Structure formats: structure tokens, C-alpha cells
Amino acid sequence: MTPASEEFVRQLMMATAVGSGAASIALILHLGPVSAVWRALSARTKRVERRANVDEMTGCWNRRRFMEILNDKLAEIEDAKDAGRAYEEITMLLLDVDHFKMINDTFGHANGDEVLRMLGQCARENQSWTVGRLGGDEFAILVAGSDPRLIGPEARNFADKLASLLRNNEKARGFQGISVGVASAPQDASRSQDLMHKADVALYAGKRNGRGKITFYHRDMEHEEAEERQIAHDLHAALLLDQLELHYQPIIEADGTVCAAEALLRWRNRGRGYVPPDKFVRVAEKSEMIHRLGEWVFKRACRDLKSSGYPRFSVNVSGAQFRNDGMVDMFRRVLRESGCEASQFTLEITETVVLSATPSVQRALKELREMGFTIALDDFGTGNNSFALLRDLPVDYIKIDKSYTQRLETDKITQIFVTAIGEIAKELDMIVVAEGIETEEQQTCSRIAGAVRFQGYLHGRPEPIRGQQRPAAVLEQVAS
């Protein structure tokens, strides 16, 4: 529209707002043809409506407009049910980008924006879908019908197509996939907020079981979510009341000498009894509680070291702790307060933390090693490990997961795998620790494969520190 036309429309709108109908008509007749006026007004109205309803970055409906569409569809279903008419069910796909914060932190926000743009563009190519961007990296899609046999493959095809597009886009690096939660109306919920909640429950149930999944809602998930909320509440109380414990399992040299012990977190809740660490740590990792839990563990390990009789401790560090910019400072402060030295501790991290480490994680690991900590790669072999990356990993120890060491006697493939790790570790001056050793035969096989340190029930079960001496079970193992 020309500047003259814009001025014309502006005057028209002002006259319409403050003047009489006759004055408006007179202005129209005076300033130009009616058809031109309405075309200009129509174009202007469309632009205003688009800005009000469409997400500028992705071209999807914005949250407000998407919820309006959803509410209208749900109202149609309810009206049809009340009138006894047939109706078509709808399904919501709630999705977000896996590890999106890592993409932004590693490659920059422009890179992350490109991922979102491509996601929106790819979703909108399906003409039968109603696509909305709810905020950040969260999107919602409305699909006709509710048959999981049709919707599941359709969602998987979309996820695969998107992954293929982004793998070939240099402006959208770091993409690892999407997670999708699915809920249908009216079978799962008949109100928009309830449908959104249940799709969200399914989304996070899928994430708990490994990202990149398409997960359909079912009622049991509500129980799981409620249980997690209760665990989080009880764990918060346990931290405040100092009701957690550390038990220590010895790590043995090939000659039988006890060289260290691994600190293992234990929680016995009055109401629910023993709570497995993988259960409550996973809950803590979803919130800031993991940082408090990690600090509690390290403080207690520093306190126990002085009375344990062990020369050093290994302490597990959750990958979620690396999200806290103050983690390194926490270790430094606790060492200062306790009088312990970093060289008395090995920090154990999982291979997924290292192999997908962002620059900030790599900096944190470098700082910790410079402080004097040694770093162990725990449970090696359970993730998507890469021998090619071992050369550049900032670690001192590799701990072979028990699922491998306990198969060494009978499984040829496992023998080859563990032996290869041993050979590579020897070349890189890394120490191999075999976990889960329960028999002399397992230890012998692990030693032949290249392990030089051993941990497992053969050498002692995890026990709390009692007094100034090592647990009797450990002393017996050393003596034997």
C-alpha cells in the first residue's frame, strides 16, 4: 500500500471511530473509490490478524489461537455427544526438542531458532494437521482420529523426516530428535487443559524411558507422576533432616590391596522403606534438588574420609549437576571447609555426559582436573560409546559395567569388547576398573582382558563407615 493509501485508511478509521456514518461516507466519496478503500482495509486487517494469531518465527498458530481452535473442536464434540450425533475424535501431539538448551548453549541461539523454524515448517507441510507453537521449543499438533495404529506411524514418519532435514542443515546443528506425548479426546480428556496435561504426562513418561520416543497416555502414568511428586516431597524432607546415608564399597588392586572405596547413596524412607538410588536420583535430576543432593553427598564423603581408613573415595556426579554454573565452586568450597584435598577423590561420571558434553561441561571437567580430582568414566559400555572418542576424553579411569564383566567367562563378543577397552586404555594411560566382580573366575577373566582394579561383592558389599576402621568385611578380604 502506498503512503497516500495508508494516510487515507488512517483518516477513514479515525472518521469512523469519532464521526457519524454520513461523515464517513462523505470522506470515502471525497477521497477515492470505495473498492480501493475496502481492499486497503482488508489487507491491513489481515496483517493485524496474522500478527495476533501466528507465531512469527515458525509460521505456526501461537498459543492463544491454538487454544481457541482446540476449545472449538472440543465444544463441537461435546455438542454432538449431547445431541446423540456422531463425531470425530481428535488427538493432541505435544512435542519438544530433545536437549534444546544444549543446542542453544553449544551452537548459539540463531542455531536453535533454525531448528524451531524447520520444525514448524515441516509440521505445517501436513495439510491435515493444526500446528501451534506453545512457547520455547514446545509445539502442539491436533490430528483427526484417535487410532494409535495410524497416529503412531504418522508421528514417527514426521520425526524421521525432520531429523533427515536437520542433519543436512548446517544452520541447525546439534539436533538429537524430538519427544512426543499423545492424548486423545474425548477418551482421555474432554477439556483443553486436561487434554494438554495428559499429553504432557505422556511426554515426560517417554523422556524418563529415554528421549526420542512417541508415548501414548494411559492412566498408570498418573500414578507414576503422583508417586514422583511424593518422592520429591519426601526427598526434600530427608535432605533437611539429614536422613540419607553413604555406604562405601571397596575397590581392590590386582594384588589385593584396597586402593579406594566408592561412595554409594542410600535412602531408607519410613513410609516406603528402601528407595533405590536410580529412582530418587532421577526425580532429583528434574529439579534444582539434584544440586543440593550432590553437595550433601560430597560434604558427607569429605567428613567420612577422615575416619574411614580408606586412602581415597570415588563419588558419583550426576550429569544434571553440570547444568549448575556453580558446581565447580561448590567442590572448591566444600574442600576448603572440610580440609580435604581434591587428590583424595575420583569423580565418577557416565559416558553419556562426556560424549555429549557441551563446551561448558568440558570447561568444568578441565577445571576439576586442574584442581586435582581424577575423573572416572562409569558404566562404560552401557551407552552409545565410541572408541574413536576415547583419545580426547578428559578421564583417568574407565569402569567396565557389570553387565560385561559378569559375562566374560562365557561370551566371546564380551571378551573381545572388554579386551579392546583394556588395550586402548593402556595406550592412553587410563586405568581400567572392572565392576560387579562376584567370583574369582570373573576377576581372573577381567584381569586377562586388561582390568587392573576390581570392585564387587567378592571384595565387599557397600557398608557405612563405622568408627575409625574399615568395615570388617573389607579387612577380611584384604587379609585373604
Side-chain angles (χ1 to χ4, degrees):
M1 188 165 32
T2 66
S5 298
E6 290 184 352
E7 175 60 20
F8 169 77
V9 170
R10 187 184 67 79
Q11 291 185 46
L12 174 61
M13 294 178 71
M14 289 176 61
T16 303
V18 302
S20 66
S24 300
I25 293 171
L27 181 63
I28 292 171
L29 294 174
H30 174 70
L31 291 176
V34 174
S35 59
V37 173
W38 288 118
R39 281 198 301 272
L41 277 174
S42 177
R44 183 187 183 95
T45 301
K46 286 180 180 178
R47 289 198 301 274
V48 171
E49 286 180 350
R50 178 174 176 81
R51 284 197 293 267
N53 294 321
V54 175
D55 175 65
E56 185 177 355
M57 179 188 296
T58 64
C60 303
W61 296 120
N62 59 26
R63 185 185 187 96
R64 183 192 61 79
R65 180 57 183 147
F66 179 85
M67 295 305 294
E68 287 178 352
I69 295 171
L70 173 60
N71 283 322
D72 288 344
K73 289 182 179 293
L74 293 175
E76 289 173 7
I77 291 174
E78 286 303 300
D79 289 345
K81 286 173 64 179
D82 292 342
R85 300 194 309 269
Y87 59 85
E88 185 175 47
E89 297 179 334
I90 60 170
T91 294
M92 173 183 285
L93 310 179
L94 189 64
L95 62 91
D96 66 20
V97 179
D98 293 333
H99 304 293
F100 186 67
K101 184 178 185 300
M102 186 200 75
I103 294 174
N104 277 336
D105 291 346
T106 306
F107 301 104
H109 288 273
N111 189 100
D113 289 348
E114 181 67 13
V115 170
L116 301 181
R117 276 193 292 270
M118 292 289 290
L119 193 159
Q121 177 183 320
C122 186
R124 288 188 296 110
E125 288 176 359
N126 190 322
Q127 299 297 314
S128 65
W129 284 4
T130 300
V131 186
R133 182 187 178 198
L134 304 184
D137 66 318
E138 188 176 49
F139 291 75
I141 299 169
L142 294 182
V143 182
S146 62
D147 189 343
R149 294 169 299 180
L150 300 175
I151 293 171
E154 189 176 6
R156 174 49 60 196
N157 289 340
F158 164 68
D160 292 344
K161 179 182 177 182
L162 178 63
S164 178
L165 288 171
L166 289 172
R167 275 197 299 268
N168 298 320
N169 188 338
E170 281 299 313
K171 297 179 181 178
R173 292 169 295 169
F175 179 78
Q176 298 183 38
I178 57 174
S179 295
V180 184
V182 186
S184 298
Q187 65 186 42
D188 296 323
S190 56
R191 295 190 305 173
S192 58
Q193 291 302 326
D194 291 341
L195 187 65
M196 185 84 70
H197 168 73
K198 290 180 177 178
D200 190 58
V201 168
L203 172 65
Y204 282 92
K207 286 189 173 187
R208 282 196 301 271
N209 297 319
R211 297 169 188 265
K213 296 184 179 299
I214 295 162
T215 308
F216 286 77
Y217 170 84
H218 60 76
R219 291 179 181 178
D220 291 345
M221 292 176 180
E222 297 281 2
H223 173 72
E224 293 169 7
E225 185 184 42
E227 183 182 29
E228 286 198 357
R229 285 199 301 268
Q230 188 61 50
I231 288 175
H233 177 271
D234 293 346
L235 182 58
H236 178 74
L239 278 166
L240 289 175
L241 299 174
D242 200 26
Q243 293 176 341
L244 301 171
E245 296 180 2
L246 284 184
H247 290 195
Y248 297 88
Q249 186 173 37
I251 301 172
I252 309 297
E253 296 275 14
D255 62 3
T257 304
V258 177
C259 58
E262 180 180 356
L264 298 167
L265 187 58
R266 298 290 182 261
W267 178 27
R268 191 168 297 280
N269 178 269
R270 288 182 181 178
R272 63 180 72 243
Y274 174 72
V275 185
D278 61 343
K279 195 169 189 177
F280 68 82
V281 170
R282 188 180 66 225
V283 172
E285 286 176 333
K286 294 180 180 179
S287 69
E288 295 299 309
M289 202 185 312
I290 189 63
H291 308 311
R292 293 176 52 212
L293 190 63
E295 182 170 348
W296 184 94
V297 168
F298 190 54
K299 281 183 175 178
R300 180 56 56 89
C302 287
R303 189 197 74 177
D304 289 348
L305 182 63
K306 297 175 182 179
S307 61
S308 69
Y310 287 107
R312 63 185 296 115
F313 281 159
S314 288
V315 176
N316 290 280
V317 180
S318 164
Q321 288 178 251
F322 284 90
R323 295 198 298 260
N324 184 357
D325 294 336
M327 183 191 70
V328 174
D329 289 337
M330 179 275 288
F331 280 111
R332 189 177 286 113
R333 171 171 47 78
V334 173
L335 287 175
R336 185 173 61 249
E337 292 171 352
S338 66
C340 292
E341 299 291 335
S343 58
Q344 296 174 290
F345 294 92
T346 295
L347 304 181
E348 298 195 8
I349 58 177
T350 60
E351 65 175 291
T352 52
V353 173
V354 179
L355 296 178
S356 62
T358 64
S360 62
V361 171
Q362 293 172 348
R363 284 194 298 271
L365 287 171
K366 182 181 179 183
E367 284 186 65
L368 291 168
R369 293 185 85 199
E370 289 173 350
M371 286 167 61
F373 289 104
T374 51
I375 307 296
L377 195 59
D378 195 17
D379 299 334
F380 190 79
T382 58
N384 297 317
N385 59 77
S386 170
F387 288 122
L389 290 173
L390 279 176
R391 182 186 295 106
D392 302 317
L393 295 179
V395 299
D396 307 284
Y397 299 85
I398 300 175
K399 300 188 76 175
I400 306 299
D401 186 69
K402 66 180 182 181
S403 61
Y404 288 92
T405 57
Q406 293 179 355
R407 295 204 309 265
L408 273 171
E409 296 174 72
T410 57
D411 191 323
K412 285 286 186 185
I413 300 300
T414 298
Q415 292 169 8
I416 294 169
F417 175 78
V418 176
T419 301
I421 294 172
E423 290 297 320
I424 293 171
K426 187 185 299 182
E427 290 296 320
L428 298 174
D429 289 327
M430 295 179 181
I431 294 172
V432 176
V433 183
E435 296 183 295
I437 300 298
E438 296 182 358
T439 67
E440 292 287 356
E441 289 76 14
Q442 289 172 358
Q443 178 153 322
T444 299
C445 290
S446 298
R447 183 185 297 166
I448 292 171
V452 296
R453 293 186 180 177
F454 311 91
Q455 180 180 352
Y457 288 171
L458 177 65
H459 300 292
R461 293 175 178 270
E463 296 285 349
I465 299 299
R466 305 185 190 281
Q468 298 292 323
Q469 301 297 322
R470 294 183 185 135
V474 178
L475 293 174
E476 290 172 8
Q477 289 294 338
V478 176
S480 65

